[in-house]
Amino acid sequence: MKQLIILFIVIHAVYTWNTCSDESFCDRIRNQGIVSSLSLDTSFLSYNNYDVQAVLYNSDADKSFTLSISATDAEIFRIRIDDPLNPRHSVPEALDGELELAALTITEEVDRLSLAVGESLAVVEFSPFKITVYKNNEIILIINDRNKLTINSEDDVAVALDFTFPGATTAYGIPEHAEGLSLQSTEPGGLDPYRMFNADYPAYAIGTQEALYGAVPVLYGHSTTRTAGVFWLNSAQTFVDVTKQADQVQSLFVSEGGVIDVFVLTGPTFESAAKQYISLTGPAPLPQYFALGHHQSRWSYLTQDEAEEVIREFDNHDFPLDVIWLDIDYTDAFKYFTWNYTAFPDPVGMQEYINSTGRKLVLIIDPHYKVEDGYTVYETLRDNNYFVKNPDGSDYQAECWPGLSSWIDYTNPEAAAYYSSLFGMDSFANVTDIVYIWNDMNEPAVFDVDEKTMPKDVLHYGNVPHRDVHNMYGFTQTMATYSGLLARYDNTKRPFILTRAHFAGTQRYSAVWTGDNYASWEHLRISFAICLTQAIAGISFCGADVGGFTGEVTDELFQRWYQAGAWLPFYRAHSEETTERREPYLYSEEMQTRFRNAIRQRYYHLPLWYTLFYEHERYGDPVIRPLSYVFPSDPNTLDIDNEWLIGNAVLVHPVAIEGASEVDIYFPGDSNELWYSIDNDERYTGNEYVTIPVTMDSVPVFYRGGSIIARKETHRSSSAYMRSDPYTIYVFVDATGEASGTLYIDDYESFEYRNNVYNYYGLKYADGALNISKLDVAADYSEGSFTIAEIVVYAQNEGVSRAVFDDSSIYPVSYSVSKTYLKVSDLNVAVRDLLDITFE
Ligand SMILES: *[C@@H]1O[C@H](CO)[C@@H](O)[C@H](O)[C@H]1NC(C)=O
Ligand SMILES: *[C@@H]1O[C@H](CO)[C@@H](O)[C@H](O)[C@H]1NC(C)=O
Ligand SMILES: *[C@@H]1O[C@H](CO)[C@@H](O)[C@H](O)[C@H]1NC(C)=O
Ligand SMILES: *[C@@H]1O[C@H](CO)[C@@H](O)[C@H](O)[C@H]1NC(C)=O
């Protein structure tokens, strides 16, 4: 262990990451306190019902810039400032299609212009230029309050703008950082600004403002009375200051290049602000069911025998598993879209075996391509000028896994289309229809160079410098992978992709994980905060490498990680090549039981996860939620990130402290709120801190009073075999004796749900009766068997002796020893449209 700690420190020391002071554009704008002198030139002011066009004049530089302001029906204001002579790089790809503009009510006065939409109002003051945004007549945001607006000429393309959120106490967002959910104050506070510059940063330091693998430039200013947000749509390196003051939060965004393109999320609630963001960048499409199951990965399973052996052992030891992953070593010399046939002599046979066990295969495909004559993929990319270029026009070449490599320029539509075509059923040799894709190293990671990435002056399509597109590079790869998989499966199967680098909008194509973490308690704990922050930044499908990627995991930590990981949206165990093998069946019986129980909890709740992902696509709510999202007026929730909610109904506080014999749990909400332990008869009320004793078997999880949860409790080796398994319906009443929930069912893999082929049920319990009915009457999935095996009711059940179904059949009820719940068992009731049950 000692040696490993030394290795860990050495790894840290190897990399140095730039701070604001190391980057001249940031140092100049942020540290030298430059004040802008831009004012709106009214002689060029024009507007119609949908937008305002104006000119901002910089008197110091004698330069003019174009300003446009518009709004959407969701009450989002968009403010764009560009250089008319040298238009800056913008990132329309991040947006989910063209925005639908709302009609504005515009009022012009001598020194200002007001734009109203719904309950939102933006007042533009001409000189000095400043925009004050109101919601419901209260000021929620001031843009250029501190006159930091920066936009200059050609040779100095950095841009900056400051924002003030009056009344905000807390700031959330701007992933990805190894930081708490609630952001620290950087200035004052002596901290560097949060950096967004996608970086391959293994075993990253915790609690810093350093950049990690992804960048989603959306920031929320939050308080117990309202939330507003700013989405800074820029893909260049960006630094963000967060200044928390007694009565407001201020922020400064500084980007190395690109356009100023700002969206104001007017809220007024956390939920509405987060949904406004989703209305811009789009929700994640519903994943296939298997993707929500348990994944097993390793760098790498080196041979076909090894991969098949892992599957067999999972089955021998009864661990549910849906997906096995192959890292870079399945390829021939790290040439993507090839196989090493020495190691994998019969890839199709292997996939048939995997398939016969009800599982899928994920293969890694990275963005760097080995420079090698005779490697057809490389030659085609080279001959068609599909690689990122040096300033002199030659292909950019540098070291990566295969040795000397070049990088696909996915911003070139033809390059992206060629790459997509490589996933074709007849292109990717010996790959069957059970395969999905992992995009790694796409920050992009480059070996042996500064900051482990491409120089800023290499050129993309249209001579766009890498500087301007750095943070969207991985995003463009996932876009192309997604269209490749769509075409591969002829639009019949929903693609599954995992990506390390990510940007605003990534959720439309891919899941993310927290990258190359370390087997430490700190890394376990930070994974909760990172995924919560991703969730409010649009990316719900997030998880961390269970066990930690690098470093040897202790037995205790590993068990806790399996337990906690089961309650994050993406659940994959993965480990680095030099670590000891750590498949769960290699451990003692006692540990195996804990791993198995943790994984089974995941599978019991797959119907819930699936329903929540459906509702995310439909309504935009994140799948996992900070406590402050669901209980915005509860001040105790503001900084909590060691517990979270799944949907609105499940509260999770995994044990993530070494040697813990108890945990301190906060139960959110007011004192009418009820929380039911998943393990025992205990129930708790809201607005309380409770210390709960724990053992190694404990995973503190609570159902919220007022919810109905549909679980599948039959033990299977994979979710593929659970399709027609029956449900157990759990009812947990609130203080008024009522409860409700939803359940979504479809074919689990195709897009037919978009043609109304699904069943979406509402479940309601009131006055001693349970009512299940279709919420969308027009939708129907006729093969969707929804069979109920058992109903468990946590309510005031006194005097109840039987359950009477709407077809007049009668079933006896039994009670738990303590009488906290009643149960109707041995049912075999198929629900199609409607079911009513009265407990009497
Ligand atoms: C292919 O796999 C074999 C067996 O694992 C290994 O020895 C060899 O180095 C691999 N070859 C390449 C080119 O990756
Ligand atoms: C597919 O794999 C087999 C070995 O299982 C190999 O003989 C064959 O050449 C491969 N096909 C292609 C197109 O590479
Ligand atoms: C996987 O199994 C299904 C159903 O059993 C079958 O239709 C499909 O062809 C199989 N695919 C592979 C690659 O074995
Ligand atoms: C159950 O819900 C459906 C749909 O809302 C409704 O039509 C039906 O009357 C309800 N049944 C009872 C007993 O409340």
Side-chain angles (χ1 to χ4, degrees), residues 368-484:
H368 50 259
Y369 285 77
K370 185 174 172 63
V371 173
E372 184 181 282
D373 288 333
Y375 172 27
T376 318
V377 172
Y378 167 73
E379 287 180 342
T380 310
L381 290 162
R382 179 198 60 199
D383 295 349
N384 288 286
N385 285 313
Y386 290 162
F387 286 125
V388 173
K389 299 284 185 187
N390 288 311
D392 69 4
S394 59
D395 286 347
Y396 172 68
Q397 296 185 338
E399 292 292 317
C400 208
W401 296 125
L404 196 64
S405 307
S406 284
W407 276 257
I408 298 183
D409 179 11
Y410 303 96
T411 66
N412 175 346
E414 282 180 27
Y418 168 69
Y419 166 81
S420 300
S421 77
L422 294 171
F423 293 98
M425 265 325 217
D426 20 318
S427 307
F428 199 169
N430 284 319
V431 172
T432 70
D433 64 356
I434 64 159
V435 168
Y436 295 89
I437 297 299
W438 175 15
N439 288 154
D440 193 17
M441 302 289 280
N442 52 358
E443 292 71 28
V446 179
F447 292 170
D448 309 327
V449 293
D450 269 4
E451 299 225 287
K452 298 178 71 188
T453 195
M454 276 177 195
K456 308 258 177 62
D457 63 349
V458 300
L459 294 174
H460 292 260
Y461 184 64
N463 284 329
V464 175
H466 184 69
R467 179 197 65 221
D468 287 350
V469 298
H470 177 81
N471 284 347
M472 67 183 280
Y473 180 79
F475 171 74
T476 60
Q477 185 197 17
T478 57
M479 285 175 83
T481 306
Y482 190 86
S483 30

Side-chain angles (χ1 to χ4, degrees), residues 629-701:
Y629 183 94
V630 181
F631 299 96
S633 60
D634 179 347
N636 299 324
T637 62
L638 291 173
D639 295 336
I640 292 180
D641 56 18
N642 58 0
E643 57 188 73
W644 63 94
L645 288 138
I646 297 166
N648 281 344
V650 182
L651 177 70
V652 186
H653 185 128
V655 183
I657 293 175
E658 187 171 13
S661 58
E662 55 187 36
V663 290
D664 296 320
I665 297 177
Y666 179 65
F667 290 95
D670 62 29
S671 54
N672 286 322
E673 206 67 59
L674 280 178
W675 296 97
Y676 297 77
S677 167
I678 195 172
D679 292 326
N680 55 44
D681 281 345
E682 295 298 327
R683 64 184 73 171
Y684 304 89
T685 49
N687 199 27
E688 263 187 42
Y689 296 88
V690 182
T691 301
I692 290 177
V694 293
T695 67
M696 273 314 294
D697 294 310
S698 312
V699 190
V701 172

Side-chain angles (χ1 to χ4, degrees), residues 30 33-36 128-130 142-149 161-164 187-188 241-243 245 248-253:
R30 188 238 193 193
I34 290 173
V35 172
S36 78
F129 172 68
K130 177 164 135 177
I142 308 168
I143 301 173
N144 204 30
D145 193 23
R146 293 184 287 160
N147 274 312
K148 300 273 191 186
L149 170 59
L161 190 53
D162 68 87
F163 304 93
T164 300
E187 174 218 34
D241 267 303
V242 172
T243 307
Q245 296 159 343
Q248 62 184 13
V249 169
Q250 291 188 322
S251 179
L252 173 67
F253 280 70

